[in-house]
Amino acid sequence: MPILKSFLKDGEAESYQNVVVTFVPGRKAVMTIYESDDGDEEASGGGGEESWVEREQIVLSDYKTKEEMHALMVEKGFQLKSPEEIEAIQNHYKDEAEAKRIKAEERREEIRIQKDEMKRQREEERMREEEEAAAVDEGGDDSSSSDDDDDSSSSDDSEDDEADSGAKDEL
């Protein structure tokens, strides 16, 4: 299938006169040959597309090589465009492919930047949470448990001191 896709999307089919490719992703590749109401095989000329009548449909996936596809085009009466026209078509498709590649590259860069920004924001949030947790831990230890321990031990010490001094007085 990649050969057929290349034949259709890279401009080879359109290198023939009166050929227009409409690529529909996910659909079977079918070449529809039209002729005008007046019997003109190439379906071109004065009447325009509205006067065309479907003459034949060919499933292109039945053809395995580009050579077979080109032979089909000739067999059905299609003639190659001039070398200048073919070159212009090829350049058009090359330019289109390059523009698509650049757009995809730009999109990948945008996504990378977004991911980096999200990572930076998560890191800042993590650091902020750690700082808040550290501040809560420091504030809680100073005011509750260490102050109570200091008060009780100092009051116990003063009572012991008073009892010792009273014992000395009695002797």
Side-chain angles (χ1 to χ4, degrees):
M1 200 55 116
I3 293 171
L4 172 59
K5 188 174 183 179
S6 171
F7 181 77
L8 296 173
K9 291 189 84 173
D10 295 342
E12 286 187 65
E14 291 180 314
S15 63
Y16 291 90
Q17 294 176 9
N18 300 316
V19 172
V20 176
V21 173
T22 305
F23 189 80
V24 181
R27 302 280 304 271
K28 207 172 220 183
V30 176
M31 178 170 70
T32 305
I33 300 174
Y34 296 91
E35 63 183 26
S36 67
D37 277 341
D38 62 11
D40 182 8
E41 289 288 320
E42 293 183 2
S44 62
E49 289 182 23
E50 63 276 353
S51 69
W52 293 358
V53 176
E54 184 178 309
R55 180 175 59 138
E56 183 178 4
Q57 283 193 345
I58 301 164
V59 177
L60 294 177
S61 57
D62 294 342
Y63 298 85
K64 304 302 178 206
T65 66
K66 286 186 179 184
E67 291 78 18
E68 289 177 347
M69 292 177 214
H70 283 288
L72 171 68
M73 300 300 280
V74 171
E75 175 189 320
K76 295 302 176 182
F78 293 99
Q79 296 177 357
L80 279 173
K81 294 178 178 177
S82 70
E84 294 82 19
E85 290 174 303
I86 293 172
E87 184 179 355
I89 290 168
Q90 290 171 343
N91 289 337
H92 167 76
Y93 281 100
K94 284 179 187 174
D95 292 346
E96 230 177 42
E98 179 65 12
K100 191 174 184 178
R101 185 193 65 76
I102 289 170
K103 187 175 181 178
E105 190 175 296
E106 289 171 348
R107 181 65 184 138
R108 281 191 297 272
E109 180 65 13
E110 288 174 8
I111 290 169
R112 186 194 62 76
I113 290 170
Q114 289 173 349
K115 285 181 177 180
D116 287 350
E117 178 62 18
M118 289 171 61
K119 184 177 178 182
R120 185 191 61 76
Q121 288 174 351
R122 283 192 305 268
E123 182 64 21
E124 284 179 0
E125 180 65 23
R126 185 189 61 79
M127 290 175 66
R128 193 171 25 258
E129 288 172 356
E130 286 178 1
E131 289 172 0
E132 288 173 359
V136 167
D137 287 346
E138 288 176 7
D141 287 347
D142 289 344
S143 62
S144 60
S145 61
S146 60
D147 285 346
D148 290 343
D149 291 344
D150 290 344
D151 290 344
S152 63
S153 64
S154 63
S155 64
D156 289 343
D157 290 344
S158 62
E159 290 174 8
D160 288 343
D161 289 342
E162 287 175 16
D164 287 343
S165 62
K168 287 179 189 176
D169 291 338
E170 290 179 16
L171 291 174

